[in-house]
Amino acid sequence: INTDEIFPVKIKENKDLIFKIVDKEIKINDDNNKVIIVGDNNSQFILFSMNRYIDDIDIDTKEIRVKYINALKAGYTIKTINKTISDDDIIEFAWPITKNVTVAAGKISFVIEIVGKEEDLCQCYYWSSLPASLEVQKGLDPNIEFIVDECDCGCLDIFDEPGEEIPENPDDNPPSTEEVK
């Protein structure tokens, strides 16, 4: 499955939402208005940017993933998506926030990992950021039974009835060149 098609993230249009990784530290912008709520599933993304080259290794050739511990203290690892490279050797990627992240309100601790094999050196490469954290906010109680409040004003009834076919207006279709002759 190509996750980039499932989770289309326009990184270039969301520069203010990008967390920068400098050396091994994830810089979370205090002005970031990213709100993650219990129950969110693939509706939010955390965007990251960092230098493309670390230890003289091109991390574009490696797997970038997020290892995290959710509020219930369960640990997971997920591959990042939508990896792009800018002109100034900055690599950008996204972390799709899944239901495993948002299973409960509370603190999420996470690191960015870069892993891969160095063919020339015949060894595995591993790099990790320092831990960072985000907060999952409490949503509405899912155990409450909600009753749908139906609109009784009749204003929406027109959307329930099949529409009538609109007759074709002859003025909308200009005659063909053969009919003019």
Side-chain angles (χ1 to χ4, degrees):
I1 296 175
N2 183 352
T3 56
D4 293 351
E5 292 174 9
I6 297 171
F7 307 108
V9 177
K10 305 270 191 254
I11 290 178
K12 301 294 181 198
E13 296 172 10
N14 293 296
K15 287 290 186 187
D16 57 325
L17 299 179
I18 291 180
F19 296 169
K20 298 195 182 314
I21 302 172
V22 180
D23 296 321
K24 289 190 170 246
E25 186 177 352
I26 298 172
K27 306 277 187 180
I28 298 176
N29 185 351
D30 290 337
D31 296 334
N32 190 306
N33 61 357
K34 179 68 75 180
V35 177
I36 303 169
I37 299 175
V38 169
D40 281 352
N41 186 32
N42 297 323
S43 63
Q44 298 286 331
F45 300 89
I46 305 294
L47 305 174
F48 297 91
S49 73
M50 64 185 296
N51 287 329
R52 176 179 175 178
Y53 296 95
I54 299 175
D55 305 325
D56 294 325
I57 303 288
D58 183 359
I59 63 172
D60 184 42
T61 63
K62 309 293 178 242
E63 180 178 291
I64 303 174
R65 56 192 187 190
V66 178
K67 183 182 281 184
Y68 64 93
I69 300 170
N70 66 20
L72 297 178
K73 305 295 182 217
Y76 295 90
T77 300
I78 186 171
K79 290 181 183 179
T80 60
I81 59 170
N82 295 74
K83 186 168 43 169
T84 61
I85 298 172
S86 66
D87 295 334
D88 50 355
D89 284 333
I90 298 295
I91 193 164
E92 298 171 335
F93 50 92
W95 170 20
I97 301 300
T98 62
K99 63 184 175 185
N100 291 329
V101 176
T102 64
V103 69
K107 182 177 150 185
I108 312 164
S109 298
F110 66 95
V111 295
I112 302 300
E113 294 182 324
I114 301 170
V115 297
K117 188 170 183 173
E118 279 302 301
E119 299 297 332
D120 297 345
L121 305 175
C122 196
Q123 63 186 15
C124 293
Y125 180 82
Y126 177 84
W127 179 95
S128 177
S129 70
L130 292 169
S133 63
L134 291 172
E135 194 77 21
V136 173
Q137 303 297 317
K138 186 176 178 182
L140 289 176
D141 185 348
N143 298 320
I144 295 176
E145 183 179 336
F146 290 91
I147 300 170
V148 177
D149 189 9
E150 296 291 332
C151 176
D152 61 359
C153 63
C155 62
L156 299 178
D157 293 344
I158 60 169
F159 296 110
D160 294 334
E161 299 172 5
E164 54 181 81
E165 196 170 308
I166 300 172
E168 195 173 297
N169 184 348
D171 294 336
D172 289 343
N173 297 322
S176 67
T177 53
E178 290 180 9
E179 291 175 350
V180 174
K181 292 181 184 176

